[in-house]
Structure formats: structure tokens, C-alpha cells
């Protein structure tokens, strides 16, 4: 019984450490000039937010808890509008 509880605890902790799941298809919908509210309505809350040199940076990181494969996305904002929207290659599939 104790081993089962330990295993379940590890699985639960691993599931919690998945970051902020997002889909590449949704990330492709983000356009330059969108507000932070518009972007988060598409992608959800970012995992990390930082500011430097007048820029606000949102970062989304998603980790598959089974394979540990990860993906990340960064969008920079100035004056509340997206200025750095990455081109996402078509081979990036959800």
C-alpha cells in the first residue's frame, strides 16, 4: 500500500509540473498588435512574466508528463501590444 501511495504521489507531482499547456495551432492565431488580454484569451495564462528595457515578456512552457518532451513560446509586448510574434514552422504539430 505504501508503494502505491508513493507512486501516486510521483504521478501527481509530475502531472502538476506540466507548465502551461498550449497548442501550436492557437499560437499561430496570435498577431502583432494584439493586447495581452487578447493573447491570454487564446493561449491561457503564461508560465512566466518578466519585464526588461520597457518590454513585457510572456513565456509559455509545456512539458508532456509522459514523454518529458517540451515546447515553449515567448511573446514580447510594448505598451500592452504584442511586438514579437514568432513564426511557427508548419512542421510543429499539436
Amino acid at each position: 500500500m505504501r508503494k502505491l501511495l508513493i507512486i501516486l504521489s510521483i504521478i501527481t507531482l509530475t502531472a502538476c509540473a506540466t507548465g502551461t499547456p498550449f497548442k501550436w495551432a492557437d499560437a499561430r492565431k496570435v498577431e502583432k498588435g494584439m493586447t495581452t488580454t487578447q493573447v491570454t484569451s487564446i493561449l491561457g495564462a503564461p508560465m512566466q512574466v518578466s519585464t526588461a528595457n520597457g518590454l513585457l515578456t510572456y513565456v509559455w512552457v509545456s512539458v508532456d508528463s509522459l514523454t518529458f518532451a517540451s515546447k515553449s513560446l515567448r511573446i514580447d509586448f510594448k505598451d500592452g501590444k504584442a511586438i514579437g510574434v514568432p513564426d511557427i514552422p508548419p512542421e510543429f504539430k499539436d
Side-chain angles (χ1 to χ4, degrees):
M1 182 66 162
R2 185 176 176 111
K3 283 185 182 181
L4 179 60
L5 289 175
I6 292 171
I7 291 170
L8 288 174
S9 295
I10 291 170
I11 290 171
T12 301
L13 288 173
T14 302
C16 291
T18 58
T20 52
F22 67 91
K23 294 184 178 186
W24 290 122
D26 291 335
R28 287 184 183 95
K29 296 175 187 175
V30 176
E31 298 176 3
K32 188 175 178 180
M34 285 185 161
T35 65
T36 56
T37 302
Q38 290 172 312
V39 172
T40 56
S41 72
I42 294 170
L43 296 172
M47 182 175 187
Q48 179 182 349
V49 177
S50 62
T51 59
N53 302 321
L55 294 181
L56 175 66
T57 300
Y58 282 12
V59 178
W60 291 262
V61 177
S62 183
V63 180
D64 184 310
S65 59
L66 296 177
T67 65
F68 297 106
S70 65
K71 60 184 179 180
S72 64
L73 175 68
R74 171 188 167 160
I75 299 177
D76 293 324
F77 298 87
K78 184 166 181 83
D79 300 323
K81 307 268 181 157
I83 61 165
V85 179
D87 281 330
I88 300 166
E91 61 268 15
F92 285 26
K93 305 286 185 197
D94 292 316

